[in-house]
Amino acid sequence: ELKIAAAIAHEWGWHDRAIRAIGKAKYYDDLNIRFPLPFYDTVLNHAHAQQLDFAYVYAIIRQESAFQSDITSVAGASGLMQLMPATAKQVAKKQQIMVKNREELFVPDINIALGTAYLRDMLNQFNDNHLLATAAYNAGPSRAKRWAKKYGCLPPDIWIELIPFNETRKYVKR
């Protein structure tokens, strides 16, 4: 029943529900449901514009929102790439993207434009180190810098295990 529910949810574009249902069913073979590609042209265009691997952008979106564009986190992050309002405002100004109100963060094109620009900024700050940039995207760049300084040049798998925030540790692993 869960497999069928996942397939229907996927067909209806309810990717977050499909991903959860297929996971609960412990059915890992249907990669189209587990790793859907909604907003393909938008992701591809913004990833290309920021010189990012589009698969990396999809990984961030899947982990942040499971492709639910109208979601707001408990902390106040909004949209597909779960941008905090202050971060979105800062990135919009830097990228010269007009964002009239917070609701526009739910518009996939705007959210992905801002999110990919922020992700590129994190990669730039961390010399294209995807591990540190991913940790910074989730927990903030100051924390990632502190962890990088504290844990130095450890192997990535050990470094990840030393991330003190359970949520960020799981996030980076995924």
Side-chain angles (χ1 to χ4, degrees):
E1 289 175 354
L2 284 170
K3 288 182 202 176
I4 293 168
I8 292 169
H10 177 73
E11 197 173 302
W12 290 353
W14 296 352
H15 301 293
D16 60 311
R17 293 174 185 102
I19 291 166
R20 270 191 246 115
I22 207 78
K24 282 183 181 179
K26 297 186 187 317
Y27 184 71
Y28 305 115
D29 293 340
D30 195 329
L31 299 181
N32 290 325
I33 293 177
R34 290 187 59 216
F35 303 100
L37 300 175
F39 317 107
Y40 183 81
D41 290 334
T42 304
V43 170
L44 196 63
N45 290 336
H46 290 298
H48 180 74
Q50 295 296 334
Q51 297 177 318
L52 297 169
D53 181 345
F54 81 98
Y56 184 35
V57 176
Y58 266 113
I60 295 291
I61 294 171
R62 185 183 189 278
Q63 188 59 31
E64 288 289 350
S65 67
F67 306 102
Q68 189 176 353
S69 62
D70 62 348
I71 192 169
T72 300
S73 74
V74 176
S78 298
L80 289 166
M81 296 191 76
Q82 287 292 279
L83 297 164
M84 292 298 288
T87 301
K89 186 176 181 179
Q90 176 187 2
V91 174
K93 184 177 181 180
K94 187 176 179 181
Q95 294 292 311
Q96 299 178 337
I97 298 171
M98 180 71 156
V99 180
K100 298 174 195 159
N101 54 50
R102 189 172 171 173
E103 284 69 39
E104 286 196 336
L105 294 179
F106 299 120
V107 176
D109 187 53
I110 293 171
N111 190 278
I112 294 169
L114 296 172
T116 54
Y118 183 62
L119 187 57
R120 168 46 56 202
D121 187 44
M122 293 301 98
L123 282 164
N124 291 345
Q125 281 189 45
F126 292 98
N127 299 316
D128 281 328
N129 182 315
H130 285 68
L131 180 67
L132 292 173
T134 303
Y137 192 94
N138 181 258
S142 61
R143 287 186 179 119
K145 286 176 187 173
R146 194 166 52 242
W147 300 334
K149 185 176 179 180
K150 184 175 181 180
Y151 304 129
C153 294
L154 294 171
D157 57 338
I158 295 171
W159 192 92
I160 292 168
E161 290 302 326
L162 294 172
I163 294 173
F165 298 153
N166 193 36
E167 176 192 330
T168 303
R169 189 177 331 105
K170 287 180 182 178
Y171 181 93
V172 174
K173 283 180 182 181
R174 289 178 180 152

